Amino acid sequence: AQLQSSHLIVCTVPLLCSLLRSVCPLPMIGLFSMTHFSRAQVGVGEWGMMHFAEMAKNTDQNVFATPALFLSEMSVLHIAVRLPTVRPFGFYNFRDVVKNLFPNPFAQLFEGTGSYPNSVIVPRSWAITETSFMKVLRYFVEGVTPNFPLNFTIIRTFNSEKTDVNMARNPHPGGEQLSDLMSREENVFVEGASMIKYRCALMVPQHPHIMTAYEIHSVNLPIFMPGPEWLPRILAQMRAGSRGPADKVVLPGGYKPNTRPRPMKPPFFTSGVVHVPPSISQFVLFERKYSYGLPGIRFVHSMPDLLDGLLFDDLPARREIMRRHNEAELKPVMHWYRSAVLHLLSGPPHYFLGKS
């Protein structure tokens, strides 16, 4: 009843859009970056893909877009519909106070920016919990002389006998030494709006269209991320890294994917439709897939390169560059949203459950 009293649906999960459409004819805006389906029963994913294609074609009732050029190109191959590319801004950050930030939320840096100047935040990612990246980083941090001066805050989830996946704690405001964090299992949650307080973010994305990258950039937080020759070797350790028989796939550096893949697939992209060898898709197409061609993101190539950036990069200057970029980029995005809403809400009365 509450859904039917609404005038518009905003959705970020393709399969959920299909399910909502089956019970509700409300107009819908969709900006998709999340997985299409995960552990779906046989046939559900295929049904969702076909139904989603029909919804994407029905532009009288649905306006869909994707945050990355790579996904837009994949949509052409998979559903024969090219979705526009629209940059996400603050989907989860500042949701309770966002109306007070307009008309220009990027006129200046947000209040509280850089309040934790000695703490690096590590956003949640399967690549953080399933690979050796953080363990190797700990080895390098502990080997620094004199002691490494920065603390870390790791957003993470454990599902074991020692932890309850449904319970999480707020981290220490100033972060903790990496060795202390890595010595225990815990679930840690950080409000999106609090990310402005940290020195910078260390991000190891689990897939090329992760929404977190855009969310972090929306709060003008500098990002460090492994570059194209390093990231594939990290992702090869993930259970979701396999795209085919492990004995036939070799990644750069001689690494092979884990033989226990997690059936987690992004929108429009299944290896049964278009199969690209991981060595090509992860390396040659890196910039097209990880289309974070945004100022403020620095690709690092080794642990020493990473530590050097964390310590010595001019982060205040990068924040200001990010703010100016976001200020300029928000205008066309808001134009797209306004146009989408006007287009959908000016449709025939039957789009509103038969009410005018």
Side-chain angles (χ1 to χ4, degrees):
Q2 292 181 345
L3 182 63
Q4 293 183 355
S5 65
S6 303
H7 295 296
L8 183 69
I9 297 175
V10 179
C11 186
T12 59
V13 184
L15 187 55
L16 181 58
C17 288
S18 293
L19 296 176
L20 287 174
R21 176 57 72 237
S22 65
V23 297
C24 181
L26 284 171
M28 189 178 298
I29 294 178
L31 183 57
F32 304 112
S33 178
M34 301 180 69
T35 54
H36 184 71
F37 59 93
S38 179
R39 300 187 184 278
Q41 296 180 355
V42 176
V44 173
E46 290 75 7
W47 167 83
M49 189 75 75
M50 291 186 293
H51 189 260
F52 180 80
E54 293 304 313
M55 291 180 64
K57 296 174 184 177
N58 181 9
T59 55
D60 289 333
Q61 201 170 3
N62 310 294
V63 175
F64 290 167
T66 177
L69 178 61
F70 175 75
L71 290 180
S72 177
E73 294 172 345
M74 286 297 99
S75 72
V76 176
L77 296 174
H78 287 237
I79 64 175
V81 178
R82 181 178 293 278
L83 300 181
T85 301
V86 177
R87 158 82 188 277
F89 273 99
F91 261 33
Y92 310 104
N93 299 333
F94 304 109
R95 59 178 179 268
D96 297 327
V97 298
V98 67
K99 63 181 180 181
N100 299 322
L101 299 176
F102 281 87
N104 184 5
F106 296 107
Q108 59 187 6
L109 292 175
F110 301 115
E111 183 178 357
T113 294
S115 301
Y116 307 152
N118 296 321
S119 185
V120 178
I121 191 167
V122 182
R124 182 168 54 189
S125 167
W126 287 111
I128 292 295
T129 57
E130 290 188 359
T131 73
S132 61
F133 180 84
M134 294 305 298
K135 297 181 178 67
V136 176
L137 177 59
R138 175 183 178 180
Y139 174 83
F140 275 84
V141 167
E142 292 180 346
V144 171
T145 303
N147 292 338
F148 193 72
L150 301 181
N151 290 336
F152 290 82
T153 297
I154 305 176
I155 306 175
R156 52 183 174 167
T157 301
F158 283 94
N159 189 9
S160 66
E161 297 178 355
K162 299 179 181 179
T163 62
D164 183 349
V165 72
N166 297 309
M167 300 294 292
R169 76 172 184 88
N170 292 322
H172 187 279
E176 300 178 63
Q177 291 293 309
L178 188 57
S179 57
D180 295 334
L181 292 176
M182 298 292 292
S183 64
R184 63 180 186 265
E185 292 185 1
E186 61 182 354
N187 300 327
V188 177
F189 177 77
V190 174
E191 286 282 353
S194 298
M195 288 192 175
I196 63 173
K197 301 177 181 179
Y198 290 87
R199 176 184 181 88
C200 59
L202 170 57
M203 183 176 174
V204 186
Q206 64 196 29
H207 52 67
H209 50 84
I210 191 168
M211 188 74 78
T212 306
Y214 302 102
E215 289 293 297
I216 294 175
H217 199 281
S218 295
V219 297
N220 310 313
L221 183 64
I223 300 172
F224 292 88
M225 175 177 160
E229 73 286 350
W230 190 10
L231 186 61
R233 291 180 287 172
I234 298 172
L235 299 183
Q237 301 176 34
M238 291 177 55
R239 287 181 291 156
S242 180
R243 293 287 183 236
D247 58 340
K248 296 182 180 179
V249 177
V250 179
L251 299 178
Y255 288 81
K256 289 186 177 182
N258 195 302
T259 56
R260 298 176 299 153
R262 182 192 303 108
M264 182 178 65
K265 300 173 181 178
F268 328 123
F269 192 75
T270 61
S271 57
V273 178
V274 177
H275 177 70
V276 180
S279 58
I280 296 178
S281 64
Q282 293 290 355
F283 189 82
V284 179
L285 301 179
F286 179 90
E287 292 185 356
R288 296 188 69 77
K289 290 184 64 176
Y290 294 86
S291 54
Y292 306 138
L294 305 171
I297 297 181
R298 172 178 167 179
F299 293 114
V300 292
H301 310 290
S302 64
M303 285 296 177
D305 188 28
L306 171 60
L307 297 186
D308 179 81
L310 294 177
L311 290 172
F312 303 117
D313 266 21
D314 188 351
L315 300 180
R318 286 174 61 184
R319 288 181 188 271
E320 178 60 20
I321 292 173
M322 297 171 78
R323 184 198 67 78
R324 294 179 182 178
H325 175 85
N326 287 332
E327 184 178 29
E329 288 297 312
L330 181 64
K331 295 178 182 178
V333 171
M334 293 304 301
H335 176 76
W336 181 84
Y337 274 108
R338 292 190 185 100
S339 299
V341 172
L342 290 174
H343 169 73
L344 292 173
L345 297 188
S346 63
H350 69 269
Y351 290 152
F352 300 94
L353 305 176
K355 300 178 181 180
S356 60

